[in-house]
Amino acid sequence: MGFSTIASAAILGVAVLMAAEIITSDLLPKIESVNESYDDMKGRLRDQLQTDISILDVTRSLNGVNYDFTISVQNTGSVTLNTEDFIVLINGTGYLFTCSHTYLHPQVIGFFEVVDVAGDGEKRMKIITNNGVADYYTYVL
Amino acid sequence: MGFSLTGTHVIFFIAAVIVAGTVSGVFIAVTIDVTSSLSDRAQRVQEQLDTDFTIINDPNMIPRSGEYYLFYLKNIGGAKLLTTNQTFQVFINGELISVSDYYFSDTSIAVGGVTNLLVKTTIAAGDHILRIVGPQAITEVFIFTE
């Protein structure tokens, strides 16, 4: 009787150890990954809250029958922005551009060149940063 | 008499071991099931945390490409985003757009990337609401004027 109790306890003990091993090897890494994703999300939200840009000025020059635009943008936030991920919309349509700075540090002004834009008249411009923060400017003749 | 007593002890011992083994087996099986479910759930939560996107159009000027309205979708999350008409559903003014009436110019976009969402629909002049539901039911609402 005593020995059967010991044997049963041993079997149940081994089962508990196996269950603990399954939990630690499978579940704990997943919890760690979720924690990392949560930290990344907090970082992105923090950057978004600290991101701000301001379009200071737009100048236009003639390029054949079309126009080239130079858009002056200042980083008025407190996060350095990568201009390669920016998007420039003119009258709602996206255009390719070149920028004077690859990284726009806080308080620095960058110049975005958009060439060969067709059409005369008023142009409504929107510049969007890598995390979706944007500013507008209306170019009036 | 001695053997029957020993035999009884052996029978009890075997029975106890069998019961303990059965209980252990059930315990481990349940643990595996629960761990697997929690793992799957954690994976989905991780995908939800990594997924985020936004429509970056000028709400006053939505460009058109033939009979399609063109919307720019930007990946502002932390992982690559699959952009197909199976992973995204599009609503305009609350009405679900048929799968054959919209498509993306790219099948996936990297972090920070932009793709074109082309939607074929007829929109009257005035204010409209575009609602896009992506993976893990992450939703983006965009109000625009035609």
Side-chain angles (χ1 to χ4, degrees), chain A residues 69-80:
Chain A
F69 288 91
T70 301
I71 308 168
S72 306
V73 178
Q74 184 179 27
N75 181 354
T76 52
S78 51
V79 174
T80 295

Side-chain angles (χ1 to χ4, degrees), chain B residues 5 8-10 13 28 36 38 51-52 70-71 77 81-82 88 111 118 122 125:
Chain B
L5 186 63
T8 305
H9 284 172
V10 168
F13 173 76
I28 289 172
S36 174
L38 286 173
T51 301
D52 199 7
L70 174 61
F71 297 95
L81 192 62
L82 289 177
F88 278 82
V111 174
L118 293 109
T122 307

Side-chain angles (χ1 to χ4, degrees), chain A residues 1 3-5 7-9 11-16 18-20 22-23 26-27 30-31 33-35 37-38 40-41 44-45 48 85-87 89-95 122 124-126 128-132 136, chain B residues 9 12-13 16-17 20-21 23-25 27-28 31-32 34-36 38-40 42-43 45-52 54-63 72 74-79 111-114 142:
Chain A
M1 184 104 172
F3 190 67
S4 62
T5 307
S8 306
I11 292 170
L12 288 172
V14 168
V16 166
M18 285 173 65
I22 290 167
I23 290 169
D26 202 16
L27 202 54
K30 278 282 188 292
I31 293 173
S33 299
V34 169
N35 208 30
S37 290
Y38 181 68
D40 283 347
M41 187 190 74
R44 288 196 306 272
L45 287 174
Q48 240 180 355
D85 290 333
F86 275 38
I87 305 294
L89 303 181
I90 297 178
N91 282 353
T93 302
Y95 282 85
E122 192 173 283
R124 187 172 144 100
M125 296 175 180
K126 180 179 183 183
I128 304 107
T129 66
N130 54 315
N131 51 24
Y136 292 83
Chain B
H9 284 172
F12 274 133
F13 173 76
V17 167
V23 167
S24 300
F27 179 64
I28 289 172
T31 303
I32 290 173
V34 168
T35 305
S36 174
L38 286 173
S39 245
D40 288 345
Q43 179 68 29
V45 168
Q46 185 183 353
E47 283 173 17
Q48 261 182 337
L49 293 172
D50 285 339
T51 301
D52 199 7
T54 187
I55 300 293
I56 58 172
N57 283 70
D58 185 338
N60 255 357
M61 294 181 174
I62 305 297
Y72 300 108
K74 186 172 177 65
N75 180 2
I76 56 171
V111 174
V114 176
F142 180 72

Side-chain angles (χ1 to χ4, degrees), chain B residues 57-129:
Chain B
N57 283 70
D58 185 338
N60 255 357
M61 294 181 174
I62 305 297
R64 295 189 69 166
S65 175
E67 52 185 348
Y68 287 83
Y69 287 89
L70 174 61
F71 297 95
Y72 300 108
L73 183 97
K74 186 172 177 65
N75 180 2
I76 56 171
K80 188 172 84 167
L81 192 62
L82 289 177
T83 49
T84 67
N85 53 10
Q86 304 304 318
T87 56
F88 278 82
Q89 283 73 47
V90 177
F91 296 80
I92 291 186
N93 297 330
E95 284 187 24
L96 178 66
I97 303 296
S98 167
V99 167
S100 58
D101 287 340
Y102 68 93
Y103 67 94
F104 292 87
S105 59
D106 303 287
T107 53
S108 68
I109 36 174
V111 174
V114 176
T115 188
N116 299 334
L117 165 62
L118 293 109
V119 182
K120 184 168 79 172
T121 185
T122 307
I123 300 178
D127 297 330
H128 303 278
I129 300 174

Side-chain angles (χ1 to χ4, degrees), chain A:
Chain A
M1 184 104 172
F3 190 67
S4 62
T5 307
I6 293 168
S8 306
I11 292 170
L12 288 172
V14 168
V16 166
L17 282 174
M18 285 173 65
E21 193 270 336
I22 290 167
I23 290 169
T24 53
S25 66
D26 202 16
L27 202 54
L28 288 186
K30 278 282 188 292
I31 293 173
E32 218 171 282
S33 299
V34 169
N35 208 30
E36 273 174 26
S37 290
Y38 181 68
D39 281 342
D40 283 347
M41 187 190 74
K42 275 196 319 187
R44 288 196 306 272
L45 287 174
R46 190 176 52 236
D47 283 349
Q48 240 180 355
L49 288 171
Q50 294 176 351
T51 296
D52 196 17
I53 56 170
S54 179
I55 301 177
L56 301 177
D57 190 28
V58 174
T59 57
R60 188 183 81 164
S61 58
L62 195 60
N63 180 4
V65 296
N66 293 331
Y67 298 93
D68 295 346
F69 288 91
T70 301
I71 308 168
S72 306
V73 178
Q74 184 179 27
N75 181 354
T76 52
S78 51
V79 174
T80 295
L81 303 171
N82 185 343
T83 58
E84 289 177 349
D85 290 333
F86 275 38
I87 305 294
V88 174
L89 303 181
I90 297 178
N91 282 353
T93 302
Y95 282 85
L96 295 176
F97 63 91
T98 55
C99 183
S100 56
H101 295 69
T102 304
Y103 292 98
L104 206 58
H105 299 297
Q107 297 305 306
V108 170
I109 299 172
F111 300 94
F112 290 75
E113 305 278 342
V114 183
V115 299
D116 223 19
V117 178
D120 205 345
E122 192 173 283
K123 299 285 185 202
R124 187 172 144 100
M125 296 175 180
K126 180 179 183 183
I127 293 201
I128 304 107
T129 66
N130 54 315
N131 51 24
V133 174
D135 194 26
Y136 292 83
Y137 189 96
T138 302
Y139 177 78
V140 179
L141 292 171

